[in-house]
Amino acid sequence: MINCLIVDDAPVARDILGEYCKLLPRLYLTGSCADAFEAREKIQKMPVDLIFLDINMPILTGIELIKTLKNPPQVIFTTAYKEFATDAFDLGACDYLVKPFSLERFIIAIDRAVERIAPRDMLVESKPEVYQNNHLLIRSDGIINKVNFDQVLFLEASRNYTKVVTIQELFLSILSLSSIEKLLPNEIFSRVHRSFIVNRSKITSLQGNRIFTGKSEIPVSNNYKRFLFEDLGINAK
């Protein structure tokens, strides 16, 4: 069952999405919100796997809402504006539906979301990525690769995929960064940006809002910097 939340300031749009959700048994609608602030409260209080999110809302837009969340759920943007698609996919959105959209197009978007929403029981069953003690099994280009944690430098969200960068090579996973994050041990990895997770043991230096690991430079957002410093045992004052 996928826990869904509708966020849209237009009552008609909320009603249509609600009716569409009822047609798909795997979807469980946990709530319907008229603005981003109400949505933030619900996300913080209950498990939400997927948000149907409008963009043009008063005070805080849908895109701004996602940027405020430390570990955002999967997102399907539902909007009347085509011009924000690039920004939406840069945030790792599952899909981008331009209103008015058909039920058929909605179902296609849900199928894409299901591929990326990966609770542990679903992962074990389908085995696209599985955590086993000290490694991940990552399905990439039809091959299941065993990737030891101590070989991973960092992970980067890349539109609808995730780059898993190791000491020797790069793997491209079909799962979102947030989905893979659930499989990574907190004692080894830290989220440092909405698009990056790093292996703390591979950090060679820090400079301002940048991390260096191997030959790569990784940005650190202010939202995650404090948590990174705590994980590293560094006094940020």
Side-chain angles (χ1 to χ4, degrees), residues 7 19 26 35 47 58 64 86 92-94 100 105 108-109 132 139 147 158 163 171 213 224 233 237:
V7 187
E19 290 303 313
R26 68 181 122 182
D35 61 67
E64 290 168 342
T86 299
C94 291
R105 183 65 181 85
I108 291 171
Q132 292 185 351
R139 184 183 296 277
V147 181
S158 179
K163 295 178 183 177
F171 300 98
T213 176
Y224 294 101
K237 295 183 179 180

Side-chain angles (χ1 to χ4, degrees), residues 118-130:
R120 292 182 186 271
D121 55 346
M122 187 184 300
L123 283 172
V124 170
E125 180 182 346
S126 60
K127 301 188 186 307
E129 343 273 294
V130 181

Side-chain angles (χ1 to χ4, degrees), residues 2 26 48-51 66 72-77 85 87-96 108-123 126 128-129 156-163 172-183 191 194-195:
I2 296 175
R26 68 181 122 182
V48 176
D49 301 311
L50 175 64
I51 310 176
I66 296 304
Q74 295 298 322
V75 180
I76 295 175
F77 282 99
D87 292 335
F89 284 117
D90 282 345
L91 288 172
C94 291
D95 211 333
Y96 191 92
I108 291 171
I110 294 301
D111 287 342
R112 289 176 179 173
V114 168
E115 290 180 1
R116 297 177 62 180
I117 296 171
R120 292 182 186 271
D121 55 346
M122 187 184 300
L123 283 172
S126 60
E129 343 273 294
E156 178 185 358
S158 179
R159 293 191 179 273
N160 294 331
Y161 300 90
T162 296
K163 295 178 183 177
L172 196 61
S173 167
I174 63 170
L175 291 185
S176 70
L177 186 65
S178 295
S179 296
I180 295 181
E181 183 178 21
K182 297 174 183 177
L183 303 175
R191 186 81 170 246
R194 69 173 184 266
S195 298

Side-chain angles (χ1 to χ4, degrees), residues 9 23-24 29 58 69 97 103 108 113 141 180 190 199 210:
D9 62 336
L23 297 173
L24 300 179
L29 189 58
L69 301 175
L97 303 182
L103 175 59
I108 291 171
D141 295 328
I180 295 181
S190 290
N199 183 337
R210 294 177 298 165

Side-chain angles (χ1 to χ4, degrees), residues 1 12 25 31 34 43 49 65 70 75 85 93 101 122 129 138 142 146-147 152 167 178 183 192 208 216 224:
M1 189 69 70
V12 173
I43 291 168
D49 301 311
L65 167 63
K70 182 179 178 183
V75 180
F101 49 85
M122 187 184 300
E129 343 273 294
I138 298 179
K146 178 183 176 182
V147 181
V152 177
I167 294 172
S178 295
L183 303 175
V192 298
S216 301
Y224 294 101

Side-chain angles (χ1 to χ4, degrees), residues 54-70:
D54 189 21
I55 290 181
N56 190 20
M57 294 186 292
I59 306 179
L60 195 67
T61 69
I63 287 176
E64 290 168 342
L65 167 63
I66 296 304
K67 290 179 178 179
T68 69
L69 301 175
K70 182 179 178 183

